[in-house]
Amino acid sequence: MKKTFLLSAAALALIASPFAFQNSADAQISTRSDAMTIDPQRGVLTMAPLLERVTPAVVSINTLDEGDAPDEDRELSREEQLMERFFGGRLPNTNRGPRAGLGSGVIVDADEGLIITNNHVIEDADEITVTLEDRRRIEATLVGTDPDTDIALLKIDADNLRELRLARAGEAKVGDYVIAVGNPFGLSSTVTSGIISALGREQGGGLNRSRYENYIQTDASINPGNSGGALINSKGELIGINTAIVSRSGSSAGIGFAVPIRTVENVVEQLRENGEVRRGRIGVIIQDVTPELRAGLGLKSLNGALVSEVGEDTPAEKAGLESGDVVIAFNGDDVIDSSDLRNFVGLVQPGTRADITYLRDGSRRTTKITVEAAPEDETPTRRASSEPEEMEMMEAFDGAEVSNIPDELELRGGEDGVYVANVDRGSRAQRAGLVKGDVIRKVGKNDISDLDDFEDAVRGDGPFALQIERQGRNLFLAVK
């Protein structure tokens, strides 16, 4: 029986990937070891050799927000008004006094003492203290933050630090074995394991912390205090920074999220150089390709970002992009949906010259585009509404009153098109997403000048892909 166990454990060890780790304190000498191996003295399967090299690079981060001095004359917040109403008086220093915070961080450059963590871990902190695995406590300085990806970069002055090697971007796959290292609930150097459950998660479980979302989802246990900690692969390489969980209780429910290493590298590079992240944009509004739009536009795939509008005098217009184009690749990376394009463009430094590949009328085209700087107050490349995802219409436009555009209307897109004068509540047209005031500019590939053009374009059973103007913005809808 014992012989059978050892044989099985050895087989598992054979399939584990080797790992490489950089140690600045040892002149950056790389060593190699099995991620899982048999301890020859105890005869047990273990990852101890890997973790002995990895955990010193994951630190504990303590923050202190001194708060503001109480001001008896200031206006109470809604929360404080409720407290005063139900408890009969203002609580001392409510939301105003010193507040302590706890999180994790990862040393990525031992020579410079650079540490990655989450922005929400150190946000509003007046003091940031890093505690190393050897119990040294060192005051950290903030190099820069990027709230849009929830990444922050710290710096400490210390010797004999360990750093984590970064994994190669794009190598992670669903099903890969991963390990989360951090300080949940203040329990330093806690290690949990699992697999990658999904890639490219956006708005996971209602996450709204960052605007550029492309999370790694894992079932490795992540809890409060793990934020900013490391998610590593079986070679001991950093593949992501743990940032959030979905849970009703506040503790791990097996759904955790990490910012992928590709995003982390881009942000850290800019923070090191500039102290801030400078966003890029190309000047388009985009949406996903739904099954209905795919049929209505005659596309072969759901992949890509559908361009619903191109801004005037923008990089996209100069590159020749038009409304109705479907972007399928950006700078060599496949674009699966609109969030992919938004992330790729938003994380590119302004001035970068990039290749963009798109579909137009069934043909594949590639051109060059120069990414420009996005205004500071601009939201990311936006996704126009593509609602609803499920259409129930059996007859096109049932419940919609469509007419020529009234003369008194001044529209951004000009006078060509037809006007949706009314949509009956609960009708198939309403369920298709049409609303009163929409202007239909195009049906499929057919430009619409007036009601006659529209009636000719919608003969048959459909589906019909409509390009409409709504409140000054263009978007696509599909009706069956």
Side-chain angles (χ1 to χ4, degrees):
M1 197 71 172
K2 182 178 181 181
K3 186 180 296 184
T4 302
F5 167 75
L6 290 177
L7 206 59
S8 300
L12 285 173
L14 286 174
I15 65 172
S17 300
F19 102 118
F21 179 80
Q22 281 185 314
N23 182 353
S24 287
D26 296 327
Q28 303 296 327
I29 297 176
S30 294
T31 61
R32 299 179 65 84
S33 172
D34 289 335
M36 287 187 180
T37 185
I38 297 293
D39 185 313
Q41 296 181 343
R42 297 178 297 148
V44 297
L45 186 65
T46 181
M47 295 189 69
L50 180 147
L51 296 174
E52 286 170 0
R53 295 170 174 81
V54 167
T55 54
V58 181
V59 302
S60 175
I61 296 178
N62 295 83
T63 63
L64 179 64
D65 177 4
E66 297 287 358
D68 300 325
D71 182 356
E72 298 299 329
D73 296 326
R74 69 179 175 84
E75 184 178 350
L76 293 180
S77 68
R78 176 175 174 80
E79 290 77 8
E80 289 172 320
Q81 291 173 12
L82 290 173
M83 294 292 284
E84 194 168 54
R85 174 182 174 186
F86 287 107
F87 294 99
R90 183 182 305 180
L91 296 181
N93 291 330
T94 302
N95 293 327
R96 309 298 290 180
R99 290 181 297 173
L102 176 67
S104 305
V106 182
I107 302 173
V108 291
D109 190 315
D111 292 331
E112 294 189 29
L114 295 179
I115 298 171
I116 300 172
T117 187
N118 285 146
N119 173 71
H120 76 265
V121 169
I122 54 83
E123 193 172 23
D124 299 326
D126 294 306
E127 296 180 12
I128 305 173
T129 304
V130 170
T131 303
L132 304 177
E133 191 185 51
D134 61 13
R135 300 183 183 180
R136 284 183 290 170
R137 293 175 59 87
I138 304 166
E139 186 173 344
T141 57
L142 181 63
V143 177
T145 67
D146 181 38
D148 289 341
T149 55
D150 199 25
I151 293 296
L153 186 63
L154 308 176
K155 182 179 176 63
I156 61 173
D157 185 10
D159 298 325
N160 300 319
L161 298 177
R162 288 273 185 89
E163 67 186 32
L164 280 190
R165 183 189 295 274
L166 306 186
R168 184 175 299 177
E171 281 193 344
K173 294 184 180 298
V174 174
D176 284 358
Y177 186 78
V178 291
I179 303 165
V181 187
N183 306 287
F185 304 111
L187 301 172
S188 61
S189 301
T190 294
V191 178
T192 57
S193 63
I195 63 169
I196 294 178
S197 306
L199 295 170
R201 284 297 195 214
E202 181 188 8
Q203 295 290 327
L207 298 175
N208 290 300
R209 180 173 291 135
S210 60
R211 300 194 301 179
Y212 294 88
E213 298 177 336
N214 184 29
Y215 295 122
I216 298 171
Q217 180 183 332
T218 179
D219 65 349
S221 182
I222 296 173
N223 286 291
N226 271 115
S227 290
L231 188 69
I232 64 173
N233 61 20
S234 60
K235 295 190 290 184
E237 298 170 334
L238 184 68
I239 66 169
I241 297 296
N242 299 321
T243 189
I245 61 174
V246 171
S247 171
R248 293 180 178 178
S249 67
S251 298
S252 176
I255 303 177
F257 298 92
V259 181
I261 196 60
R262 179 175 188 163
T263 300
V264 173
E265 283 185 292
N266 181 288
V267 170
V268 168
E269 180 182 357
Q270 292 204 50
L271 291 178
R272 291 177 76 166
E273 294 180 2
N274 310 315
E276 62 180 0
V277 174
R278 298 168 183 172
R279 299 286 177 214
R281 76 160 187 175
I282 59 174
V284 293
I285 292 178
I286 53 179
Q287 63 187 90
D288 288 340
V289 179
T290 65
E292 293 76 23
L293 286 173
R294 172 190 174 185
L297 295 172
L299 301 172
K300 297 179 179 179
S301 170
L302 294 174
N303 289 352
L306 176 60
V307 178
S308 56
E309 185 173 338
V310 177
E312 294 182 5
D313 196 31
T314 61
E317 184 184 58
K318 295 172 184 177
L321 287 178
E322 299 177 359
S323 178
D325 291 342
V326 179
V327 178
I328 58 174
F330 182 82
N331 227 16
D333 292 305
D334 291 336
V335 174
I336 304 303
D337 56 24
S338 59
S339 65
D340 277 348
L341 183 59
R342 182 189 65 208
N343 288 325
F344 292 154
V345 173
L347 295 175
V348 167
Q349 293 199 47
T352 300
R353 187 87 166 151
D355 292 321
I356 191 165
T357 302
Y358 59 97
L359 301 175
R360 178 182 297 169
D361 297 331
S363 64
R364 182 186 178 103
R365 306 184 182 192
T366 299
T367 188
K368 293 283 187 181
I369 193 166
T370 301
V371 179
E372 68 179 12
E376 291 184 3
D377 59 348
E378 182 184 72
T379 57
T381 308
R382 291 179 291 172
R383 176 188 298 179
S385 173
S386 56
E387 62 184 7
E389 294 183 359
E390 295 182 2
M391 306 286 183
E392 298 181 14
M393 294 181 64
M394 299 301 293
E395 184 176 353
F397 314 107
D398 182 24
E401 181 182 335
V402 182
S403 68
N404 286 317
I405 297 175
D407 294 335
E408 63 271 17
L409 284 183
E410 295 184 4
L411 299 169
R412 177 185 175 194
E415 300 178 355
D416 289 341
V418 293
Y419 179 71
V420 180
N422 189 57
V423 178
D424 293 339
R425 178 176 295 181
S427 68
R428 291 168 181 158
Q430 185 187 52
R431 293 197 296 270
L434 285 172
V435 299
K436 180 180 178 180
D438 283 349
V439 176
I440 301 172
R441 301 289 190 184
K442 203 169 185 176
V443 178
K445 299 177 183 179
N446 301 306
D447 293 323
I448 303 301
S449 298
D450 53 28
L451 195 56
D452 290 337
D453 284 348
F454 178 72
E455 290 176 347
D456 289 338
V458 298
R459 294 186 188 278
D461 297 328
F464 304 105
L466 309 181
Q467 181 179 336
I468 70 174
E469 178 182 331
R470 178 180 295 168
Q471 298 179 347
R473 293 294 186 187
N474 289 338
L475 64 106
F476 285 86
L477 288 177
V479 298
K480 294 179 182 177

